[in-house]
Every structure is written in C-alpha cells, then in structure tokens.
Amino acid sequence: MPSLKDLKNRIGSVKNTRKITKAMQMVAAAKLRRAQEAAEAARPYAERMGAVMSALAAGVGTGEGAPKLLAGNGRDQVHLLVVMTGERGLCGGFNSSIVRLARLRANELVAKGKTVKILTVGKKGREQLKRDWAQCFVGHVDLSDVKRVGYANAQTIARQVNAAFDEGSADVVTIFYNRFQSVISQIPTALQIIPAKFEAATTTALYDYEPSEEEILADLLPRSIATQVFTALLENGASEQGARMSAMDNATRNAGDMINKLTIQYNRSRQAAITKELIEIISGAEAL
C-alpha cells in the first residue's frame, strides 16, 4: 500500500495535469471557433466550383480532347496517397482515423497488384505510417511553423501532385483527411482528385463558353485541385481542434475522478494510521 506521502504527491501531480488539460481545452475551444468558421465559409465556394466543373466535365466528356487531369493518362497502376494529418497529438483519434483509412486503402491496392506511393502532410501521420510503409514515402509537407493555413499552402501541395502526375510517376491521386461535422464527430474521408471526379450536375441551365469548354476546363482543373486540397486542410484544422477539445475535456474529467478516488484513499489511510497510533498509545497506557 502506498504511503501517505506517496498519495499526497500523486494527488498533486494529477491536479497539475488537470490544470494543463483544462488549459489545452480552453485553447482548443478558442481555436475551434475560428477554424470552424473558416471551414464552413470555404464549403459554398468549393461546392459551387464543383458544380461548375461538373457541368464543364459533362460537356467535354473523357474523349481525346479532354484534359489529362480529367480523363487520366490511361493507366491505373501507380496510386499516390496524400495523407493529411496534424502536426501535434493529444487530439484523441483524429490522426489515427485518417491513417487507418489510408492504410486500409493501401492494403487493398497492394492486394490488387498496384504500386502505392505516399505523400504525408503533417508529422503524426508520417510517424504512424513509417513502421510499415516507409518504403512508399515520396515526400513530406511540414506545416508545423504555419499558424494559419492559407491557400498558398494548398497550392504547394497541389503543385507537387500535379508534377507527379505530369511526370508519369503517379496515375491516380487520392487525399485523405477528416471532414468536420461537430466537436464529437469527424468523418474520415478519401477523395480522388486526379483524375478529377465530380458529382453529376443537377442544374439544367445552358451556357455558351468562350473560349472553348476544353480550354476553360484545362485552366480550371489545377485550380480545382488546389481548392479541394485547401478545403481538406481547413476541414482538417477544424476537426483537429474539435477532437482536441473533446479529448482534453475527457482528460480533465478523468483527472477529477482520479483525484476524488485518491483523496478518499488518502483519507482512509490517514484515518487508519491515526487509529493505529491511538491503539498503541492506549495499549501502552494499560500495560503500565
């Protein structure tokens, strides 16, 4: 049984830990509000751009005149997986859920005889994948010094995947991230961005394009890829802060429960020690 001093030290240690987790929860809550606003503000633009791209793609089709980013290069052998996670931990299962989805897709591709390449965005995903998939790494994007993710960061990633596709070192590119739904719910998502896939257009309006649809589509596709990457980064940012806030709230509650249990154990041990001393004093007095 631990001594009274050991119990007291442990109670103090848990109290200090609770202060840290409470502070991290408050910081995450403040950051979540900004990150959630940014993610929600980007969704209408991304959805509208997707609708325009869908209408253009439906008009152009995937024939000979279609841009390669839409029609593909005719091969499906080399798959580039862009795994987008956080730079820091202490956010529950946020990073693990993304890595789990990417690992599942990689295993499926390897089972089909495909070649898998991995580009990591964020340190935590790279650390988790390093053990089994280090031989598949082709690059890493470090965002640890970036306080607020901007469109320029998305363009950097988009240029890398576009270059890999143009060089022929990747036939299909898929990004993995968490889509923010609520503080306690983030949805692991896999989105193929090359060759581009768009939902069927629902609008019935007809437009005349100048210059041709093929030229406009060829110019907009790289921007669309950057927009999809940027949207994924914003969704990831909101998801990370929501997951961290929830995880730190649970940690704070657990620390409080542990303090209560240790305090009860400390009081019982202290009471037992006092009772034992009283018994010894009374026994000594009776012996005299």
Side-chain angles (χ1 to χ4, degrees):
M1 178 178 289
S3 64
L4 291 176
K5 184 177 180 180
D6 291 337
L7 288 172
K8 194 170 184 180
N9 289 339
R10 191 174 179 189
I11 291 172
S13 176
V14 176
K15 284 183 177 180
N16 291 335
T17 302
R18 185 174 63 174
K19 290 179 182 178
I20 295 172
T21 56
K22 184 64 176 178
M24 291 185 67
Q25 178 192 352
M26 295 174 67
V27 171
K31 290 183 177 180
L32 172 62
R33 184 159 51 101
R34 295 194 298 268
Q36 184 176 354
E37 289 174 355
E40 292 177 348
R43 286 176 185 173
Y45 174 78
E47 291 172 359
R48 185 57 184 163
M49 186 168 190
V52 172
M53 297 297 293
S54 177
L56 284 168
V60 172
T62 57
E64 294 182 359
K68 287 181 63 178
L69 288 174
L70 176 63
N73 56 13
R75 299 188 300 273
D76 184 26
Q77 179 59 32
V78 182
H79 288 251
L80 176 60
L81 310 184
V82 183
V83 184
M84 307 168 70
T85 57
E87 297 287 349
R88 299 172 182 84
L90 298 177
C91 50
F94 166 75
N95 294 308
S96 299
S97 61
I98 301 172
V99 172
R100 189 182 305 114
L101 181 61
R103 188 182 285 119
L104 180 63
R105 177 66 61 85
N107 287 328
E108 291 176 353
L109 292 171
V110 170
K112 294 178 181 178
K114 308 294 184 181
T115 301
V116 173
K117 295 183 179 181
I118 298 176
L119 171 66
T120 54
V121 180
K123 181 174 66 176
K124 290 301 177 180
R126 190 174 185 84
E127 289 177 352
Q128 293 189 35
L129 289 169
K130 185 186 298 183
R131 178 178 176 182
D132 299 323
W133 299 94
Q135 71 279 5
C136 299
F137 288 167
V138 294
H140 175 67
V141 178
D142 186 2
L143 299 177
S144 57
D145 296 331
V146 179
K147 293 184 179 180
R148 178 172 291 186
V149 175
Y151 189 71
N153 304 113
Q155 283 182 314
T156 301
I157 300 171
R159 290 193 194 101
Q160 290 190 36
V161 298
N162 284 334
F165 179 74
D166 292 337
E167 294 168 359
S169 58
D171 302 325
V172 180
V173 180
T174 307
I175 59 176
F176 295 84
Y177 65 98
N178 262 331
R179 179 176 174 81
F180 179 80
Q181 190 172 32
S182 67
V183 174
I184 59 174
S185 177
Q186 300 86 34
I187 304 173
T189 304
L191 177 63
Q192 180 179 312
I193 58 175
I194 300 177
K197 285 187 175 181
F198 303 104
E199 295 182 0
T202 56
T203 178
T204 57
L206 298 176
Y207 299 94
D208 289 328
Y209 294 97
E210 181 66 30
S212 66
E213 294 178 343
E214 290 81 358
E215 293 182 47
I216 295 176
L217 195 57
D219 182 68
L220 287 181
L221 276 170
R223 302 186 191 185
S224 174
I225 292 172
T227 300
Q228 289 174 312
V229 172
F230 183 48
T231 302
L233 289 174
L234 293 178
E235 293 284 347
N236 246 14
S239 297
E240 181 181 0
Q241 297 305 330
R244 180 171 288 114
M245 177 182 170
S246 179
M248 291 301 100
D249 179 59
N250 291 334
T252 302
R253 294 173 184 272
N254 291 338
D257 293 341
M258 184 175 291
I259 289 171
N260 292 335
K261 291 179 181 179
L262 289 173
T263 301
I264 292 173
Q265 186 178 355
Y266 174 81
N267 290 335
R268 287 177 177 174
S269 298
R270 184 169 176 269
Q271 185 177 10
I274 293 173
T275 303
K276 181 180 179 181
E277 290 178 1
L278 288 174
I279 291 174
E280 290 176 352
I281 292 171
I282 294 172
S283 300
E286 290 179 352
L288 295 174

